[in-house]
Amino acid sequence: MTTVQTIGGEVAGKLEQDRSLLESAMQQGQGFSLEQWLHYLEQINPNHMALGLERVTEVAQRLHLYSDLVYLNPFIVTVAGTNGKGSTCALIADACRRLGCKVGLFTSPHLLRFNERINIDGQDIDDALLCSCLYEVICAQKPDAQIEPVCSNDELATMAMVADSDDDVADIEAEAEASESDSSADAQEAMFMAMQAASEVGEEIERQPRPLQNEVVDLTYFEITCLAAVRAMARMRCNLWVLEVGLGGRLDAVNAFPNDLAIITSIGMDHMKILGNTTAQIAAEKAGIIQAQGNVILGANIDASAMREILQQVKRNGASVSIEGQNFSTQLLPVSEVSPSENEEIFGIGEIAGESQELRYQDQDLRYNLYLPYPKVPVSCAGIALHAIFFILHYYLNHERGRYEDLTHIAEALKEAGLPGRMQRVADKPLIYLDVAHNVPAAKHLRGLVLRASRCSQTQGKRRAVVGMLKDKDVEGVLQVLKDTFNVFYVATLHCERGAEAERLKQALEQLPGAVEVFAFDSVTQALEQARADASDKDEITVLGSFVTVAEALKALEPQA
């Protein structure tokens, strides 16, 4: 029996109760509109999960995703972490698209449109392709599914001929250049071996026994979405896949696909009921994305015990690792302090709250420091993403590090790439920001941004917060971090399965030391309306607490935002 788990507890046998829905979708789904597919997915329920990769792997095999993966040979980047995953993915995808890759990007959750989760070559997936891929995944839940692989036999034969031809040319070129590029050849060989190992993982999965081969496989909302995303990337022949882990890493559906580069952005206390009660336990789950002989990038926001756990996994798997603060680093500088040396370049100026900023990127593999624009993504994500981009440039695209044209594209991506709901400015007079911060580490980061923006602002007014949170989050911990950041709180009830009541937020704030103004509302829309009514042109309003909160605020502000 399948055991279904929600973020707040377990529901035994829930997926089996949906078999009639699955049967109906199989029979009628070919003609479903996107609205009908979303209705089907909502009935499955986004909060239900069944941990483990066995079911996802089985359906992926029925979709021929592993054999297609071997022949299409995309470069796969898997990004895990407590915070910063989505923004890191967004910057990597945007920069690599500008550098010539055809990029498939999978992130979650979405704010307003489901299509936001799957981005193909810089555009949200179109309804027709999304509906088609969802239907193929649903059909593949049955053992007798007749799904065609993306790569036809003719294409496979052509690829084999091209590969043989390329090998001959490569042998000649390698002999000619061996004497002058030994160190580069060693690096290329290491990368080739890692990519070959990833392909072999896919082939090995195809050869393994399949205990679910003759069964109907029950999938969750996230698993269906993940498989549809990967199928769409394969069908559109994307040669770079950037995949954001949904929860944890080791047992997340994304981890059913071997990566060429694993990134762990940060480790913090979140989803403790599922991932563990210590940062070391949480890190062990996230380190599950590290592949044998793979490549790993680790962010700076990982404490000593979590880092030790991850590095043990790196060692067990014989992987190569780059750590922020050791192998690469970023530093934010006022432009007035930037004075590059003769061999250094400035690629633009960023602006926040009236203060000109420059991002200095240092990498032990580059000959000089880079001065780049202030990023649209959080600064804490920019260095990780930049290191990943340079890795892809050098080892996948075979570009020499530091080419001016490449750096120009990367600078443009820094200025423009981002995700909505990350300290997103949506209105002026009063200033309104949206941020999905929903755990203690994210709250600390948000606090720093808000206080810094206030210091830089020429108009000092009140700071007002509109807050709605999910009941399974550390509500009290988040509010304790933010209590002294804002002058007034407008707390709201979230009307969803996991939504916390406004009264809980109000009590949590009132029980903290020191006086604070708190007003409770039945919805985010009502809370935001009152905050705007109370605010002067000099005030700032920050809407925060969850994706649900930000999505409701965006809808309320839609004409203005």
Side-chain angles (χ1 to χ4, degrees), residues 14-15 17-29 32-46 114 134-135 137-139 141 216-221 224-225:
K14 170 67 177 66
L15 291 180
Q17 299 169 20
D18 294 335
R19 286 286 176 86
S20 60
L21 290 172
L22 177 63
E23 191 66 37
S24 175
M26 287 177 178
Q27 293 175 2
Q28 304 172 33
F32 272 10
S33 65
L34 181 56
E35 185 178 0
Q36 288 172 300
W37 276 119
L38 296 184
H39 177 66
Y40 172 78
L41 291 174
E42 287 295 332
Q43 288 178 293
I44 293 175
N45 193 328
F114 184 87
L134 287 170
Y135 180 62
V137 173
I138 295 301
C139 289
Q141 291 182 242
V216 176
V217 177
D218 297 307
L219 295 176
T220 63
Y221 180 109
I224 292 170
T225 307

Side-chain angles (χ1 to χ4, degrees), residues 55 123 181 200 308:
R55 292 164 300 100
Q123 300 294 323
S181 58
E200 288 172 359
R308 186 162 48 248

